[in-house]
């Protein structure tokens, strides 16, 4: 007696139709009939009463059905007992900096047997993959709502000013946004990060000036390299600035209340991903 034969038997018993059972099993009908016949020969009993108009269980088939289901359920439990734990697929971005390292360390401490796979992607793609089930969760900042996704708040992420290390403001413990008036501002294009651009440009307007536009670079690394050679400024997340090594660039905090964007964890709004509670606890460990 094979598990395959019991699977076919249960499927036919539920459908009471060999054709529909074959469609459900994604095999040809003749294969289903053949395996059922082999099972009947092995058991020495007919399991189905077949007529041109209908298929129904015999008394022997009725007795076998609950036992077959129990055997298949036990087989599933046996497979699950030895299967590796499902991993966690997380969308990230380079700007998470020290935040990501600390969360991963805390998660590994709580769930050392769970593998974590990271995907560094643009924010829109992170959200799309969470909605489509290709990612279990994603770290995001100040994003617009997306159908099928909910964002759980985690922590505020302060921004610091990045300016040439030789600039007079570079040695200050903190600066006001207004002190940067007249110095060209280089930022990513708004379509890439509208929340960030709106926050920084809005802060400049509140301080009473329109920032002169600086060159738009393809990456933060390119932007910092440019700042190291000419008078420009940009903003960097403080958590990321702590892991950057740019001797020609100074990272200076803003005076209170400062500038910050909120970081959240995007997950499906229809089903919680595996290990979500553990991941949230790891994020909480990070905060403390």
């Amino acid at each position: 007696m094979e598990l395959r034969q019991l699977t076919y038997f249960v499927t036919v018993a539920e459908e009471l139709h060999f054709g529909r059972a074959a469609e459900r099993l994604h095999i040809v009908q003749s294969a289903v009939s053949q395996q059922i016949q082999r099972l009947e020969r092995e058991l020495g009993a007919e399991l189905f009463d077949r007529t041109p108009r209908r298929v129904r269980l015999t008394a022997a088939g009725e007795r076998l059905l609950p036992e077959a289901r129990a055997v298949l359920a036990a087989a599933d439990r046996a497979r699950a007992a030895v299967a590796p734990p499902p991993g966690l697929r997380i969308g990230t971005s380079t700007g998470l900096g020290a935040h990501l390292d600390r969360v991963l360390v805390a998660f590994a401490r709580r769930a050392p047997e769970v593998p974590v796979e990271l995907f560094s992607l643009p924010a829109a793609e992170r959200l799309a993959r969470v909605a489509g089930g290709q990612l279990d969760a994603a770290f995001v900042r100040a994003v617009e709502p997306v159908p099928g996704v909910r964002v759980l708040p985690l922590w505020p992420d302060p921004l610091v000013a990045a300016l040439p290390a030789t600039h007079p403001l570079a040695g200050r413990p903190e600066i006001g946004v207004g002190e940067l008036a007249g110095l060209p501002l280089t930022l990513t294009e708004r379509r890439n990060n509208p929340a960030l651009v709106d926050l920084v440009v809005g802060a400049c307007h509140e301080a009473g000036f329109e920032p002169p536009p600086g060159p738009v670079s393809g990456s933060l690394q390119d932007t910092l390299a440019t700042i190291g050679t000419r008078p420009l400024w940009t903003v960097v997340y403080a958590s990321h600035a702590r892991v950057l090594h740019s001797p020609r660039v100074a990272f200076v905090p803003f005076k209170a209340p400062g500038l910050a964007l909120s970081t959240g964890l995007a997950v499906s709004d229809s089903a919680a991903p595996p290990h979500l509670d553990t991941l949230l606890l790891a994020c909480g460990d990070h905060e403390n």
Side-chain angles (χ1 to χ4, degrees):
M1 185 184 305
E2 300 177 4
L3 291 176
R4 176 181 58 172
Q5 292 171 335
L6 293 179
T7 299
Y8 291 4
F9 164 72
V10 169
T11 306
V12 175
E14 291 174 349
E15 296 291 340
L16 293 179
H17 193 283
F18 278 79
R20 289 195 299 269
E23 290 178 5
R24 185 168 143 191
L25 293 164
H26 304 291
I27 57 175
V28 296
Q29 181 174 336
S30 59
V32 177
S33 299
Q34 185 180 59
Q35 291 301 322
I36 295 296
Q37 289 169 2
R38 288 181 179 177
L39 181 61
E40 289 176 324
R41 285 197 298 270
E42 183 174 346
L43 295 176
E46 288 192 0
L47 302 174
F48 294 100
D49 182 11
R50 308 166 178 83
T51 69
R53 290 190 174 185
R54 67 178 182 179
V55 174
R56 63 180 180 180
L57 284 166
T58 63
E62 293 278 4
R63 293 192 297 271
L64 178 61
L65 183 57
E67 303 298 333
R69 284 173 169 156
V71 169
L72 294 175
D76 288 340
R77 290 194 299 272
R79 294 188 191 97
V82 298
L88 192 60
R89 303 163 298 172
I90 303 177
T92 68
S93 67
T94 54
L96 287 167
H99 284 308
L100 182 61
D101 292 336
R102 293 174 186 172
V103 169
L104 292 179
V105 168
F107 183 84
R109 185 170 59 247
R110 292 178 175 273
E113 76 287 356
V114 178
V116 176
E117 194 172 2
L118 302 179
F119 298 84
S120 183
L121 300 163
E125 190 168 352
R126 270 175 272 155
L127 291 170
R129 291 197 184 191
V130 169
Q134 292 85 32
L135 288 178
D136 299 306
F139 291 104
V140 292
R141 290 189 182 96
V143 294
E144 294 293 325
V146 173
V149 174
R150 59 192 173 111
V151 178
L152 308 175
L154 294 177
W155 56 72
D157 239 336
L159 294 161
V160 297
L163 61 160
T166 56
H167 193 277
L169 295 174
R172 300 271 293 278
E174 59 182 16
I175 57 176
V177 175
E179 297 177 84
L180 295 165
L183 193 64
L185 170 63
T186 177
L187 287 174
T188 185
E189 294 182 13
R190 187 181 181 278
R191 60 185 175 85
N192 296 330
N193 197 334
L196 175 68
V197 173
D198 290 349
L199 175 67
V200 176
V201 174
C204 293
H205 292 168
E206 288 180 10
F209 71 96
E210 181 71 35
V216 177
S217 301
S219 68
L220 178 60
Q221 183 178 359
D222 293 340
T223 298
L224 295 179
T226 303
I227 289 174
T229 61
R230 55 192 290 191
L232 298 167
W233 72 284
T234 190
V235 292
V236 177
Y237 293 105
S239 58
H240 193 198
R242 287 193 288 270
V243 299
L244 292 173
H245 302 286
S246 301
R248 294 187 298 172
V249 177
F251 301 104
V252 186
F254 291 103
K255 291 180 179 179
L259 302 179
L261 288 176
S262 60
T263 294
L265 189 69
V267 297
S268 170
D269 66 0
S270 59
H275 317 296
L276 175 60
D277 290 343
T278 305
L279 180 57
L280 290 175
L281 287 173
C283 292
D285 286 349
H286 155 80
E287 284 191 285
N288 296 329

